[in-house]
Amino acid sequence: MSNRKYLVFHTLVILLLLIIIADNLFSQGMFMDGSIYATISKNLSNNIGTFWYPHFTETIAPQFHGHPPLALGLQSIFFNIFGDSIFVERFYGLGIHMLVLLCIVAIWKEIGNDKSTSWVPILLWFSIYAVRWAVSNNVLENTMMLFVCLSIVFYLKSQKKHRYFFIILSGLVLSAGVLSKGLTCLYCWVFPFWIGVFKNDLKFKDIVRDTIVLVSVTILPILLLYLLSSEAADSLTKYVEIQIINSLNNEITVDSRFHIIKSFIVAIREPIIVFVSLLLFVRLFVSKIHFSRKQIRKSLPFLVVSFFGVFPIMISLKQSYIYIITVYPIFSIGLASMMEPSFLKMMEYVNTKKKLFNGILLASTCALILAIFQINKNFGAINSDINIVKDVQEIIKVVPVNSTISISPNLYNQWPLHGYFARYANISLDADIQKVHSYFLTQDDIVLNNISKKYDELELSLENYRLFRLKPK
């Protein structure tokens, strides 16, 4: 198949994906955790905090140890290059996903599938809502997902040449995954076993040897950091205490340990629907569908490993569909591989139908125009937490950057409020009523009698909050 015809399918899919994410890609408003991570990365780029002791605000996590710092450090490089624009984290998320897309193509080729059909796993991957959502919401799993995919690319390369060189690379990038978001990427340790199980020419001793090297090289850099750097040891110890031990013992976000299984099943319904739709097209217009034993052997290691990425989350009752975002590229590759020859026949059929092929070219052109229109229409618009973002933007016109605002205690747990103030203007919020700052923010009318003696209300166009300024002495 010619490169021209090969590129048409990929171009159309990528443009369709761009249309899907365009509404939120460069808009304002973000998932609470994402705004916190962006703030920490921005601070790090401005020499506020250090790599092992990142800084959120003066009042909330002045030393942030909720997660390992590598993803935050990598994102801070983007802030160093592109400045403090609120769109920097969006470019970072988009860039990470484009790199994952390239990894999917690389994995697809490494397992012997035709490169012209690599648009199929890409389409299945991006049909998953959680993946599309993650692009513009700056979750740490984005960076971990890239390292997971790179680990698989390198391991597959090790089966063809320079065996231990590529296994070492596979372990190193997996170690980087741990330092980006924690232990939830270690399910990749089972990949050599399942590749070996479904690959006829791989001996058991080779599987064991590969696994030992992969596990050792993953652990060794973290162990060396712990032993050779007191800051790294302190930071990682606090992370384990705050995130892992506390999550296992205290934090509960779901009612059942099987909640994550339900989340996974709900998420993969979309790629399965797309997959079945493509097969129906093949069956109706191209040829009968044949399940090849060779393709099943290619597919099953990826499908099985993706399930291994879900099951360990059941250990804790602190669960979220975000935690398993890294398994979706793997699942999509496995699902698409099952019927790869059928998709190749479908593309050859389309290429023989001039009107149909020209229709795809026209659809690609329309998709590009629509994507540009959507991005331009929503550039800078507020698409989530609208009232909070508007109020914060109004308040920071009055309150100086890098200052602290007193807040009524009932606002303390409004984490998006903390995130937006810190992200837009490095403003900290202090719920300690014993401390007096130049400004006071509240939603609670009950506190008005107490603060009216010290503060005057400012006449601002606020939707949710009321801002007061300290009376002059």
Side-chain angles (χ1 to χ4, degrees):
M1 188 173 294
S2 70
N3 287 334
R4 171 177 165 267
K5 294 179 179 179
Y6 153 67
L7 287 173
V8 165
F9 290 91
H10 286 78
T11 302
L12 178 58
V13 167
I14 292 172
L15 288 174
L16 288 174
L17 302 182
L18 190 57
I19 291 171
I20 293 171
I21 64 174
D23 279 349
N24 294 317
L25 185 58
F26 296 116
S27 62
Q28 299 189 66
M30 184 181 287
F31 175 57
M32 172 193 70
D33 288 7
S35 65
I36 292 173
Y37 304 146
T39 301
I40 293 171
S41 298
K42 181 195 69 171
N43 288 340
L44 192 56
S45 73
N46 292 322
N47 297 316
I48 303 172
T50 64
F51 181 81
W52 290 111
Y53 296 97
H55 175 90
F56 178 42
T57 76
E58 294 296 331
T59 54
I60 304 291
Q63 290 184 357
F64 178 83
H65 297 293
H67 299 292
L70 181 58
L72 302 171
L74 291 174
Q75 190 173 91
S76 73
I77 297 173
F78 264 61
F79 282 100
N80 278 325
I81 296 171
F82 299 110
D84 288 353
S85 166
I86 61 170
F87 301 116
V88 171
E89 55 262 41
R90 311 288 184 153
F91 278 111
Y92 180 81
L94 181 62
I96 288 290
H97 278 75
M98 291 300 101
L99 291 174
V100 173
L101 184 152
L102 293 176
C103 286
I104 291 174
V105 174
I107 293 169
W108 191 253
K109 291 164 61 178
E110 287 295 331
I111 60 178
N113 290 327
D114 195 291
K115 67 177 182 179
S116 66
T117 56
S118 60
W119 62 270
V120 180
I122 293 169
L123 180 61
L124 298 184
W125 171 57
F126 234 87
S127 70
I128 298 172
Y129 168 76
V131 174
R132 303 192 303 269
W133 174 89
V135 176
S136 55
N137 280 280
N138 199 41
V139 291
L140 300 179
E141 281 79 5
N142 291 342
T143 306
M144 179 189 276
M145 178 168 56
L146 174 59
F147 288 130
V148 163
C149 290
L150 284 171
S151 179
I152 291 175
V153 170
F154 289 137
Y155 183 75
L156 291 172
K157 284 185 175 294
S158 77
Q159 302 305 293
K160 298 178 180 179
K161 61 181 180 180
H162 308 305
R163 188 183 194 94
Y164 292 109
F165 171 75
F166 281 114
I167 294 177
I168 289 171
L169 287 181
S170 181
L172 289 175
V173 293
L174 200 56
S175 184
V178 174
L179 291 172
S180 295
K181 185 57 170 67
L183 306 180
T184 52
C185 64
L186 294 182
Y187 64 90
C188 291
W189 282 348
V190 305
F191 190 70
F193 174 79
W194 289 108
I195 284 288
V197 166
F198 294 106
K199 188 175 180 181
N200 292 334
D201 60 345
L202 195 60
K203 298 178 181 179
F204 181 73
K205 66 177 183 180
D206 293 327
I207 297 172
V208 173
R209 188 181 299 119
D210 287 358
T211 303
I212 290 173
V213 174
L214 181 64
V215 172
S216 300
V217 176
T218 303
I219 295 173
L220 185 61
I222 300 171
L223 182 61
L224 289 175
L225 283 171
Y226 189 87
L227 294 175
L228 299 178
S229 168
S230 59
E231 289 187 345
D234 184 47
S235 177
L236 294 174
T237 299
K238 288 176 179 175
Y239 158 69
V240 170
E241 293 172 350
I242 293 170
Q243 192 62 243
I244 298 178
I245 296 176
N246 191 49
S247 295
L248 292 174
N249 296 333
N250 301 316
E251 292 195 42
I252 298 175
T253 59
V254 296
D255 297 327
S256 168
R257 296 186 188 277
F258 291 94
H259 177 86
I260 198 67
I261 303 297
K262 179 182 177 182
S263 296
F264 179 67
I265 292 171
V266 169
I268 64 174
R269 288 186 304 186
E270 294 162 304
I272 288 174
I273 290 171
V274 174
F275 178 76
V276 172
S277 299
L278 291 173
L279 289 185
L280 282 174
F281 180 88
V282 173
R283 181 65 184 86
L284 292 173
F285 299 103
V286 184
S287 68
K288 290 183 179 180
I289 296 172
H290 298 284
F291 286 89
S292 161
R293 181 177 295 180
K294 177 183 176 182
Q295 290 305 128
I296 296 296
R297 284 204 306 267
K298 287 182 182 180
S299 171
L300 284 177
F302 293 91
L303 294 177
V304 173
V305 169
S306 66
F307 283 102
F308 270 83
V310 177
F311 294 146
I313 306 298
M314 296 171 65
I315 295 173
S316 171
L317 283 172
K318 183 188 177 186
Q319 298 181 8
S320 170
Y321 69 93
I322 302 168
Y323 298 166
I324 56 174
I325 287 174
T326 65
V327 309
Y328 295 133
I330 302 169
F331 175 83
S332 300
I333 291 168
L335 184 61
S337 291
M338 293 181 69
M339 301 304 299
E340 190 268 344
S342 295
F343 299 132
L344 189 58
K345 288 181 180 179
M346 180 187 72
M347 294 174 67
E348 291 170 348
Y349 169 82
V350 170
N351 287 330
T352 63
K353 305 295 181 180
K354 188 173 181 180
K355 288 183 178 179
L356 184 56
F357 184 77
N358 289 337
I360 293 177
L361 285 175
L362 179 61
S364 298
T365 304
C366 293
L368 176 60
I369 295 170
L370 184 56
I372 294 171
F373 175 78
Q374 284 289 92
I375 291 174
N376 182 66
K377 176 185 174 184
N378 292 282
F379 195 89
I382 304 172
N383 282 340
S384 62
D385 297 324
I386 295 174
N387 288 337
I388 297 178
V389 173
K390 284 183 176 179
D391 282 2
V392 169
Q393 290 179 338
E394 191 70 19
I395 291 168
I396 64 176
K397 294 176 182 176
V398 177
V399 179
V401 298
N402 300 316
S403 57
T404 300
I405 298 176
S406 293
I407 59 172
S408 51
N410 66 318
L411 295 184
Y412 179 81
N413 289 325
Q414 289 194 18
W415 302 112
L417 190 66
H418 290 274
Y420 291 124
F421 269 113
R423 178 65 189 89
Y424 286 120
N426 276 5
I427 292 175
S428 305
L429 305 181
D430 190 354
D432 186 349
I433 58 175
Q434 301 301 320
K435 295 180 180 178
V436 178
H437 299 284
S438 298
Y439 293 89
F440 189 97
L441 187 69
T442 185
Q443 278 181 318
D444 187 2
D445 290 342
I446 297 175
V447 304
L448 296 183
N449 289 333
N450 295 329
I451 68 170
S452 60
K453 297 177 182 179
K454 296 181 180 179
Y455 293 88
D456 291 323
E457 184 169 4
L458 298 179
E459 296 297 327
L460 300 176
S461 300
L462 304 181
E463 297 286 339
N464 284 354
Y465 306 98
R466 300 173 69 176
L467 182 68
F468 297 79
R469 182 159 50 198
L470 193 66
K471 292 180 178 180
K473 294 183 180 179

